[in-house]
Amino acid sequence: MAIAFKTQESFRGDYSFRNSPEAVQRFPFPFHQDSYMYSVNMEPHGSGPVGSVFEHAFDIDEHYLAEIEDRRITLARDPQRCQSLPHMIDAEWDVVELLMTSLAQDYPEHFMLLRDGSHWTWINRPLNLRQSFIFGDAATLPCGPFEYITRQAQGDFVVMDQRDNNLFADCGMVTSQADWSLSFDLGMSFMEWHAPVPLAHELGIFERALKYLLMLQQGHPVRRLNWTMTVNPRLDTAPETYPEWGSDRASVTPQTAGDKVHLRVELQTLFRLPRSNAMLFGIRCYLASLAELATQPKWAARLHRVLNTLPPQLAEYKGLVRYQPLARQWLAAHDDGRELSLGTQPD
Amino acid sequence: MKAAPLAVVVRAVRELGPEIREFTLAPADGGRFPTYSAGSHVVVSLPIGERVHRNAYSLLGDPAATDEWRIAVRRQSGSRGGSQWLHQHARPGLALEISWPVNLFSLVRTARHQILVAGGIGITPILGQARELARLGASFEAHYAYRGAANAAFADELQALAPSRVYLRDSERDGHLDFGALLARRPLGTHVYVCGPQSMVDAAKIAAARLGWPPGHIHSEQFLAPAGGEPFEVEMRASGRRFTVPRDLSLLEAIEAQGIDTPSLCRGGACGQCELEVLEADGTLHHHDVYLSDAERASGRKIMPCVSRLEGRCLVLNH
Amino acid sequence: MLTPRLKSQPCYPPMEWDRSGRQHLLFAAGEDAVLARRLFEWPPLGTLTVLSVQENPDAPSCWRSGLPPGAQQRVARRRDAALQQLHDLLEQADMGARLYAVGDEDSIWQALRIAERVGMGAEALRRHRIATQARPVYCVHCRHTTRGVTTNVADCEGCGRALFVRDHFSRRLGAYMGFQVDAEVPGERPEVEEIYR
């Protein structure tokens, strides 16, 4: 079934981004209970419920065209949002294969992949692209293989080299990040790039996660959800452009909180890559304003309670502190204190 | 999480020496195999008598050839019978179940120079690694030591991959490889990969240490075969199930034979995935793995069931 | 934004020889007589080369006296010349080599970056910070690295922005991250404190 792509939507300037009711329905609301703490919440990622964001390996939704355009703008302004260390070339081709085969298989109305030995032809109908190339020969693509395909997929991607019983972020396309810098973090090990996250290290979260991921097998990807909040539906909340979006945090008022404050959920997926033995880390970003979330009453009430009980270090780290009281105030009107069912599904 | 096995069929058998056979496997449904990275192995389920043994074999072919996979098996006397069984029973048309490829012996992509060393049947992962390095145009050399020209399986294929970088050695004629000489005066950024008998791996590590190599630059793979031993009782505390681990099954295989789900991966004592907690041990734990630390072994609270056993009466596991 | 020491932030335990090594290369950018005496008292097996940065070659230096017999000694008057010499020495070294980088944080990581480019892994590298705790700071906005920063907030030499100096450290860049301190409310800044002296 073909997706109705929005065509005039923006994640900057006039911020015309809006979710359709269907998009709100399938939003990956992350809170199972009324308070939040970190956990190694990884689970198998395969085929999920039909219509959900978990149904396919890589989710495409109504915002596809707008997100691809936003990525194009960000890269034009700052090409270093996409970098790949030289030894990652095999991994880049692994990513090309994984993304192209998945998208063509899961969205046949929109993508097609024809293969004749190493002669491939990739068709991307929404973007009106047709590219013939030789798999393994970078000269037959208009840019590096990893950059080429990730310019056509929603969400950020980091490719990690596995060596020395560790994972290293040696390649990435990062234009919709929640405030971390690829230029700074490129080449860091798993523990190093997670260094700024408060509390989780003491809980042993990252040690367990690393051990688990080192044994990740081909054909058995996993996923988890992560979350933060953003003022305005802005994808490019990078440290690099902080001077552009930082003041948004101080711009929220009781009247605008419902429309400006967004819950930002990352669907993080991890795939073992076959040729390189590296690992693809997909970070797919979903935004929904408080007002949009409130169309599902349970979600607004639950988010209210999560924000009320959020440890201060987490609020600080997630950058919420300035507008947290306003968000809580706005959500309070949607929380009558009733008991909410466990789990994330709307009531 | 247990991986769903791949159904394969033996397509061809090739004699490569008095004790060495190559088996070519194809997908049973006529489809394609996934591709893989050099150094990967698959675990083959072998229905020996009434039991299922699982042995690991390196994939030695070209990963781009997704219509077939190649493994090679040396017939070992005094083993649990896996290699014997394959030599006896594996003929074109035989159906088998294998795991997805797993790589615990992968190349370090940031190395400036790679030295591959194969001893005997250890040529199998080394051949795959040489192929990958040749394809990448990386700086490398490969050394292959075998006992007698008749046992030089795949020497031609290795040589053809990179004619000027392959060194063959018949240990019967020329003696053992001198690791002291091989590893001396090597530039920074060199990594070494050794696959062969325990004595060869030990010799490499000792020579490297003597020359001051940091241990992380010496990589080795050995498929530790689960040692047999006297039967012993096991109690699984969670379900209350009690059963005997027979002489010729590993603890892990015995648990699986009971239909009990338990994680595993390399099945050779190296990866740590199958680790179980010991609640009580009436006897002596014999650890044959390379994963647990000395302290963990001494604590008596952990065991790697794929290769380790109890010598005694009863082992109680928290599972 | 106060944080306890981050996992990316390097630590500097007291330096000891790695006695499993066979070629020991000590790079020193700064004086530490106590350290030098302790290290030279019981040198490791194998070869030892001490490469020190000394602006005035006539002045005494703890790295040029009391060396163990057989130790090789080199001096460079400027740090960049010393780093070039280090690179050349490492290209000639073999897998038994170990690098010991002694100095301020900036000098240490410039030396270690050269070592990593030559193919040395973390196992073969040791470091000892002396003298100042001044930091090199990488501005995430203009990507310039400002050296010798001793305060929690510092002006970027590249773009002029006032940067908050984080504890998040990149070994590849050899610098701490800096980002605009008042991006949310212009002019709203913490007290400037000299905390990395």
Side-chain angles (χ1 to χ4, degrees):
Chain A
M1 200 194 64
I3 302 167
F5 298 118
K6 286 161 166 261
T7 49
Q8 290 305 325
E9 197 176 48
S10 65
F11 296 93
R12 60 184 78 221
D14 65 352
Y15 290 113
S16 60
F17 167 90
R18 296 292 179 278
N19 282 308
S20 67
E22 292 73 34
V24 177
Q25 272 275 345
R26 73 195 295 269
F27 183 82
F29 190 77
F31 305 112
H32 295 262
Q33 51 191 35
D34 287 349
S35 62
Y36 175 78
M37 188 25 82
Y38 295 119
S39 59
V40 184
N41 52 331
M42 288 197 264
E43 54 181 359
H45 180 59
S47 45
V50 174
S52 76
V53 305
F54 309 113
E55 182 182 358
H56 299 306
F58 300 98
D59 183 49
I60 301 290
D61 67 13
E62 64 188 26
H63 306 296
Y64 178 74
L65 292 176
E67 284 193 37
I68 297 305
E69 173 60 11
D70 191 75
R71 166 159 287 164
R72 191 197 63 75
I73 295 170
T74 298
L75 285 169
R77 301 177 74 210
D78 184 5
Q80 291 195 57
R81 300 295 193 88
C82 182
Q83 295 188 56
S84 179
L85 296 177
H87 60 275
M88 297 303 279
I89 188 62
D90 264 3
E92 290 199 36
W93 287 110
D94 277 336
V95 175
V96 167
E97 181 182 59
L98 180 61
L99 277 172
M100 287 188 180
T101 55
S102 301
L103 292 176
Q105 181 180 287
D106 296 334
Y107 300 96
E109 332 65 33
H110 302 301
F111 306 103
M112 191 150 85
L113 179 64
L114 305 160
R115 291 186 276 183
D116 177 14
S118 57
H119 292 260
W120 292 24
T121 299
W122 164 250
I123 294 162
N124 179 333
R125 295 195 182 91
L127 293 180
N128 212 7
L129 292 175
R130 184 188 177 93
Q131 178 75 47
S132 290
F133 63 100
I134 296 176
F135 185 85
D137 186 350
T140 60
L141 283 174
C143 59
F146 174 74
E147 182 184 341
Y148 177 75
I149 193 54
T150 53
R151 274 182 179 266
Q152 301 176 45
Q154 287 175 267
D156 290 344
F157 296 91
V158 176
V159 191
M160 303 179 287
D161 188 27
Q162 179 160 329
R163 60 182 193 269
D164 212 10
N165 269 323
N166 213 335
L167 294 169
F168 295 87
D170 286 352
C171 166
M173 166 68 87
V174 182
T175 61
S176 59
Q177 67 266 57
D179 206 10
W180 67 276
S181 166
L182 176 67
S183 277
F184 193 74
D185 284 10
L186 187 71
M188 284 191 188
S189 70
F190 192 80
M191 289 299 174
E192 285 169 1
W193 90 68
H194 283 115
V197 183
L199 300 181
H201 288 274
E202 287 78 354
L203 293 171
I205 299 273
F206 297 120
E207 265 167 41
R208 284 203 293 284
L210 177 60
K211 218 168 171 174
Y212 181 83
L213 289 176
L214 288 174
M215 288 300 157
L216 192 69
Q217 295 182 70
Q218 209 195 125
H220 293 85
V222 295
R223 65 161 180 262
R224 63 181 291 270
L225 293 179
N226 196 28
W227 71 275
T228 185
M229 301 188 86
T230 309
V231 175
N232 287 325
R234 185 180 172 99
L235 286 178
D236 179 16
T237 51
E240 282 86 347
T241 52
Y242 183 45
E244 292 170 25
W245 54 267
S247 55
D248 289 356
R249 288 178 171 171
S251 74
V252 180
T253 68
Q255 294 69 36
T256 60
D259 292 321
K260 273 191 148 185
V261 177
H262 287 69
L263 181 61
R264 185 194 196 99
V265 177
E266 289 174 354
L267 168 56
Q268 299 181 342
T269 51
L270 292 135
F271 299 79
R272 172 69 66 190
L273 296 172
R275 278 170 202 78
S276 56
N277 204 42
M279 201 172 299
L280 177 66
F281 179 31
I283 312 166
R284 177 81 165 78
C285 174
Y286 297 88
L287 293 164
S289 67
L290 298 186
E292 285 173 340
L293 291 175
T295 61
Q296 312 286 338
K298 172 183 170 184
W299 287 357
R302 169 142 297 156
L303 179 57
H304 178 234
R305 297 171 196 186
V306 165
L307 290 180
N308 283 352
T309 55
L310 193 65
Q313 304 97 313
L314 263 71
E316 169 87 51
Y317 171 69
K318 290 180 187 293
L320 318 176
V321 172
R322 244 179 245 283
Y323 57 90
Q324 191 177 6
L326 289 162
R328 288 167 63 183
Q329 205 175 24
W330 192 94
L331 291 166
H334 298 266
D335 185 0
D336 59 4
R338 74 189 185 284
E339 189 166 325
L340 299 171
S341 59
L342 287 177
T344 59
Q345 72 290 349
D347 279 338
Chain B
M1 208 195 59
K2 246 229 173 104
L6 296 167
V8 304
V9 67
V10 175
R11 176 182 280 174
V13 180
R14 198 159 62 115
E15 294 284 338
L16 293 171
E19 306 283 275
I20 304 172
R21 276 203 192 154
E22 177 196 74
F23 301 100
T24 300
L25 309 172
D29 64 1
R32 300 248 140 191
F33 279 131
T35 189
Y36 58 88
S37 49
S40 293
H41 67 267
V42 291
V43 178
V44 183
S45 296
L46 306 168
I48 302 178
E50 282 170 26
R51 321 218 198 266
V52 177
H53 293 235
R54 293 188 172 89
N55 286 3
Y57 299 103
S58 298
L59 295 172
L60 55 91
D62 185 350
T66 53
D67 55 335
E68 60 184 36
W69 280 351
R70 298 158 58 202
I71 62 174
V73 181
R74 200 190 86 184
R75 192 209 306 258
Q76 326 253 43
S77 53
S79 76
R80 299 180 319 140
S83 59
Q84 307 261 28
W85 189 92
L86 275 170
H87 277 244
Q88 267 163 29
H89 297 272
R91 299 278 177 276
L94 175 71
L96 287 171
E97 220 176 58
I98 67 174
S99 72
W100 279 66
V102 174
N103 199 341
L104 300 173
F105 194 43
S106 62
L107 295 166
V108 174
R109 285 168 186 272
T110 49
R112 292 177 89 206
H113 183 62
Q114 320 259 31
I115 300 176
L116 309 176
V117 182
I121 198 61
I123 184 62
T124 51
I126 298 293
L127 180 63
Q129 291 175 327
R131 194 191 318 277
E132 185 159 293
L133 292 170
R135 175 178 65 76
L136 290 168
S139 171
F140 81 98
E141 57 193 84
H143 299 259
Y144 178 23
Y146 44 82
R147 215 177 296 161
N151 285 312
F154 305 111
D156 292 342
E157 195 171 338
L158 180 66
Q159 196 108 60
L161 288 173
S164 56
R165 306 196 237 200
V166 171
Y167 303 88
L168 303 176
R169 186 186 196 87
D170 181 345
S171 58
E172 246 167 35
R173 196 187 59 198
D174 304 319
H176 285 305
L177 246 174
D178 179 356
F179 282 103
L182 183 66
L183 301 180
R185 287 179 304 283
R186 293 299 189 153
L188 291 168
T190 305
H191 282 260
V192 178
Y193 307 80
V194 187
C195 188
Q198 183 73 51
S199 54
M200 175 187 245
V201 174
D202 289 345
K205 288 182 174 172
I206 289 168
R210 236 183 239 136
L211 290 163
W213 285 60
H217 285 247
I218 310 289
H219 314 272
S220 64
E221 181 156 78
Q222 299 152 265
F223 294 121
L224 299 169
E230 291 305 303
F232 60 96
E233 289 276 299
V234 174
E235 181 192 315
M236 308 298 281
R237 195 41 72 79
S239 57
R241 217 93 76 94
R242 283 186 80 106
F243 53 93
T244 307
V245 177
R247 185 168 280 116
D248 60 343
L249 275 191
S250 70
L251 171 56
L252 176 63
E253 286 165 335
I255 294 171
E256 289 169 340
Q258 293 291 316
I260 297 170
D261 209 11
T262 186
S264 69
L265 188 62
C266 78
R267 308 183 74 90
C271 76
Q273 279 296 94
C274 69
E275 180 183 307
L276 292 175
E277 189 192 338
V278 175
L279 295 173
E280 286 164 38
D282 183 0
T284 313
L285 290 175
H286 287 280
H287 298 284
H288 296 292
D289 65 288
V290 293
Y291 179 81
L292 293 173
S293 68
D294 290 337
E296 285 170 320
R297 291 177 187 205
S299 77
R301 305 276 288 278
K302 300 188 182 197
I303 190 170
M304 311 308 296
C306 60
V307 290
S308 303
R309 297 178 80 84
L310 177 78
E311 183 192 347
R313 277 203 287 269
C314 184
L315 180 69
V316 182
L317 298 173
N318 189 15
H319 189 72
Chain C
M1 208 206 291
L2 271 173
T3 46
R5 201 177 72 78
L6 292 188
K7 296 278 170 176
S8 60
Q9 198 177 345
C11 60
Y12 301 95
M15 180 171 274
E16 304 288 347
W17 297 117
D18 177 354
R19 297 183 187 278
S20 69
R22 289 292 170 263
Q23 290 179 343
H24 304 272
L25 189 33
L26 192 149
F27 178 89
E31 293 290 304
D32 188 335
V34 172
L35 175 65
R37 191 163 40 242
R38 179 164 67 74
L39 289 176
F40 293 156
E41 224 161 43
W42 187 26
L45 293 174
T47 64
L48 171 59
T49 303
V50 179
L51 168 55
S52 58
V53 185
Q54 199 174 344
E55 216 175 86
N56 176 7
D58 296 323
S61 164
C62 66
W63 303 112
R64 293 171 54 201
S65 57
L67 265 66
Q72 293 240 358
Q73 203 225 351
R74 285 168 208 233
V75 182
R77 298 185 70 160
R78 284 183 358 261
R79 191 176 66 181
D80 54 357
L83 290 170
Q84 181 59 53
Q85 274 199 55
L86 175 63
H87 175 265
D88 296 339
L89 285 168
L90 289 176
E91 285 285 357
Q92 298 304 311
D94 71 34
M95 282 302 299
R98 301 290 185 272
L99 174 64
Y100 307 84
V102 177
D104 60 285
E105 201 156 25
D106 195 4
S107 299
I108 286 173
W109 290 97
Q110 297 227 25
L112 295 183
R113 284 168 71 193
I114 287 177
E116 274 186 283
R117 230 173 282 146
V118 170
M120 297 182 89
E123 287 175 291
L125 307 171
R126 294 197 175 184
R127 54 199 186 238
H128 186 100
R129 186 176 60 188
I130 57 176
T132 176
Q133 290 193 47
R135 297 182 166 191
V137 177
Y138 173 88
C139 173
V140 84
H141 309 297
C142 75
R143 300 196 166 119
H144 179 87
T145 299
T146 302
R147 303 189 188 281
V149 173
T150 58
T151 48
N152 58 334
V153 178
D155 288 341
C156 173
E157 272 171 7
C159 65
R161 287 188 174 91
L163 304 177
F164 178 80
V165 178
R166 287 185 87 182
D167 289 339
H168 191 34
F169 182 85
S170 160
R171 280 151 175 72
R172 186 179 62 93
L173 299 169
Y176 290 87
M177 185 198 269
F179 63 87
Q180 184 170 330
V181 70
D182 60 350
E184 293 188 14
V185 176
E188 188 187 272
R189 308 177 178 195
E191 278 281 314
V192 176
E193 300 168 57
E194 198 181 31
I195 52 179
Y196 310 117
R197 220 164 315 129

